[in-house]
Amino acid sequence: MKINVFELERIQSMYENKVAYNFTETGVYPYTLKELFSPEELEELLSQRLGYGHTNGDPGLREAIARLYPRAEAGNVLVTNGSAEANFIAIWSLLEPGDELVLMLPNYMQIWGLTHSFGARVRPFHLIEEMNWGPSLEQLKEQVNPRTKMIAVCNPNNPTGAVLSEIEMRWVFKLAEQVGAWVYADEVYRGAELDGNETPSFYGHSDYKKVIVSGGFSKAYGLPGIRLGWLVGPFDAIARCWGYRDYTTISTGIVSQWVAQRVLQPEIREKVLNRNRARLKDNLNVLQQWIGKYKGLFSFIPPRAGALAFIKHHLPIKSREFVTRLRVERDVFVIDGDCFGMEGYLRIGFGMEKEYLKAGLARIEEFLKDIT
Ligand SMILES: Cc1ncc(COP(=O)(O)O)c(C=O)c1O
C-alpha cells in the first residue's frame, strides 16, 4: 500500500535530536522516573515480571483511564502504544475505502494521511484565525452529507491550542447524528489547559453514542517516552479495535503500564498536571513578551491549551526557507506552516525548560536581524 509521507513527523525525526535548540517538541518537558516515584516504588517497578500482560491493557489501568470519562468503565477502554496507535487503529477499523471523513484543519496530520492511504476521502472544515481559531460551522455543515462516516476533531487542537466551545461541540454531535456518522476526537492535549479548566471530553458528553476518543500521556502529562495512549468508546467499537490491534503491536509494555497506572492515581495526576500547567503558563509569558517585540513581524493568538504556539509571520522569506535556514545557520528547529498546508505560519513548542526557551529565542532574534 502506498502512503502519503507524514511530513511533520518525517522532518522532526530527521533533525530533532541533532539541533542545539529543538522547538518542535509538542508536549511538556518530560519527567524522569526518579522525579515521579520514591525509591520504594522504584524497587517495586524493578520486580515487575516482563510478560505480555493483558493485551488490551491492565484492568486496573483501564479502570483508571475510564474514571477520566463520564459513564465509562474498563470495557470502554483499549490501551495503546501512544495516542498515535489509538488514532491509527480507530481510523483503520472504522473507515472503508470510499467513505468520507470530515476533518478539522489545521490538525496533527496523522488522520489526514491515514484516511487518504486507506482510500477514503477527506472533507476539511477549518479553524479560522480571525475567529480566535474557532471552527467555521458553515463549512462544517456544508461538508457533512450521507456519505460521511466520521467527523474527526483534534480538541484541544494541535497546532493552534484552540478548544471547542459547548455550542461548537453540540454542532458536531448534531451533524454527526443527522447522518449516523462517528464522532472521533483526538484529545491527547486534554489536561494541558493554561487556565486549569479541563476540556470536557466528547465521550459521554451527549446522548449520541457513536463517539470514540483518543488520549495519552505524551503531552499534558509530559511522559511521551512511555508511549502510552488509549481509546475510549462504546463496548462493541472498542472490542473491534482490540481485534485490529492484534495485527499492530499486540500489547503495550508492562513497565509503561506500571508507570501509567500510578500517574493516574488522583493525587499524583493532579501534581503532574499542575506542574506542567505552571511551566506552560510561565513559558507562554516568556514567548509572548518576546513576540511583543516584533509586532510588525508576527501576530499570534495564544493557545488555550497545549505547549504549541502557532504564529503568523510577515517575514520577507517563505516559512520553509525560514525554518531551514534557522536550523542550518543558528541550530534552532521550528516547524513551518507548510506541514499543515498553511504557508505563512510557524509552530513553536514552548513546553521545555525556561532557560532553554530563552536561549533559543535569543538565537532566533539573531537570525531575524540577518534576514530583515
Ligand atoms: C494531536 C496529536 N495526536 C496524537 C499525537 C501522537 O502522540 P503520542 O503517540 O506520542 O501520544 C500527537 C503528537 O504530536 C499529536 O499532536
Side-chain angles (χ1 to χ4, degrees):
M1 178 192 286
K2 289 198 178 70
I3 57 164
N4 289 291
V5 173
F6 193 165
E7 206 180 9
L8 175 71
E9 288 294 342
R10 252 332 49 233
I11 292 179
Q12 273 190 257
S13 297
M14 296 284 286
Y15 306 112
E16 64 191 344
N17 293 303
K18 293 185 180 158
V19 290
Y21 293 94
N22 176 24
F23 283 12
T24 69
E25 225 14 280
T26 51
V28 187
Y29 189 62
Y31 275 93
T32 66
L33 288 172
K34 269 190 175 171
E35 286 164 350
L36 284 171
F37 302 115
S38 67
E40 295 73 33
E41 286 171 313
L42 290 174
E43 263 311 306
E44 193 190 317
L45 174 61
L46 290 178
S47 61
Q48 291 303 301
R49 205 158 287 286
L50 302 176
Y52 278 107
H54 294 257
T55 63
N56 56 342
D58 180 272
L61 174 57
R62 283 187 289 118
E63 269 163 33
I65 293 168
R67 280 195 287 276
L68 306 177
Y69 299 87
R71 296 184 291 284
E73 50 189 272
N76 296 112
V77 179
L78 176 67
V79 180
T80 57
N81 287 282
S83 52
E85 191 188 30
N87 289 341
F88 180 88
I89 289 171
I91 298 302
W92 187 32
S93 65
L94 296 175
L95 291 190
E96 299 294 336
D99 283 344
E100 290 190 4
L101 173 137
V102 174
L103 181 68
M104 171 187 277
L105 286 183
N107 204 323
Y108 181 62
M109 297 304 270
Q110 184 192 10
I111 290 177
W112 183 88
L114 285 175
T115 303
H116 283 292
S117 303
F118 294 148
R121 175 177 174 184
V122 175
R123 284 181 172 268
F125 74 99
H126 288 90
L127 301 179
I128 310 292
E129 186 170 22
E130 292 69 29
M131 292 161 55
N132 274 335
W133 294 120
S136 166
L137 294 177
E138 278 314 304
Q139 205 186 10
L140 174 60
K141 283 182 225 169
E142 274 165 27
Q143 296 291 40
V144 175
N145 68 61
R147 287 182 303 281
T148 306
K149 188 75 168 288
M150 178 184 279
I151 301 177
V153 301
C154 179
N155 191 52
N157 177 257
N158 171 359
T160 64
V163 176
L164 293 173
S165 69
E166 179 63 28
I167 291 174
E168 290 157 353
M169 287 177 79
R170 295 268 148 222
W171 269 105
V172 173
F173 285 125
K174 183 176 162 165
L175 291 167
E177 189 164 10
Q178 277 172 6
V179 295
W182 282 98
V183 173
Y184 187 77
D186 177 339
E187 298 177 346
V188 71
Y189 281 97
R190 188 172 172 228
E193 297 77 10
L194 288 137
D195 64 5
N197 294 322
E198 197 153 316
T199 307
S201 174
F202 270 84
Y203 185 85
H205 197 71
S206 141
D207 291 338
Y208 189 56
K209 295 287 180 275
K210 274 183 93 172
V211 179
I212 186 160
V213 303
S214 61
F217 288 94
S218 52
K219 314 298 176 193
Y221 295 85
L223 295 168
I226 64 171
R227 305 305 306 126
L228 232 286
W230 60 80
L231 282 171
V232 176
F235 294 129
D236 51 349
I238 290 299
R240 182 178 159 94
C241 287
W242 186 11
Y244 278 66
R245 225 282 287 280
D246 293 343
Y247 281 103
T248 56
T249 56
I250 305 173
S251 65
T252 48
I254 289 290
V255 171
S256 295
Q257 293 191 66
W258 185 94
V259 172
Q261 198 171 335
R262 269 144 199 85
V263 169
L264 287 187
Q265 285 168 9
E267 65 288 2
I268 302 189
R269 179 175 188 262
E270 197 177 307
K271 231 164 67 189
V272 166
L273 293 183
N274 284 345
R275 181 210 79 156
N276 291 347
R277 285 173 183 145
R279 182 186 291 277
L280 290 179
K281 262 167 79 170
D282 204 22
N283 286 1
L284 181 58
N285 226 345
V286 170
L287 184 63
Q288 279 188 281
Q289 280 177 21
W290 184 87
I291 291 172
K293 292 196 279 184
Y294 297 99
K295 286 216 168 67
L297 277 190
F298 298 123
S299 45
F300 169 52
I301 295 167
R304 298 256 316 277
L308 297 170
F310 199 50
I311 302 166
K312 189 177 202 160
H313 73 78
H314 313 282
L315 294 160
I317 58 176
K318 296 262 191 209
S319 316
R320 182 59 56 92
E321 187 186 347
F322 179 87
V323 304
T324 306
R325 284 187 54 191
L326 178 65
R327 179 173 50 75
V328 172
E329 295 173 29
R330 299 285 171 175
D331 225 1
V332 183
F333 187 24
V334 305
I335 294 289
D336 52 271
D338 299 52
C339 287
F340 305 93
M342 292 174 74
E343 154 60 21
Y345 290 85
L346 300 170
R347 193 191 74 175
I348 296 186
F350 61 87
M352 64 286 271
E353 287 173 302
K354 186 155 79 175
E355 291 314 310
Y356 181 95
L357 174 65
K358 283 184 175 169
L361 290 176
R363 287 208 189 185
I364 300 180
E365 199 148 7
E366 288 166 16
F367 182 62
L368 289 174
K369 283 187 199 135
D370 295 343
I371 60 163
T372 53

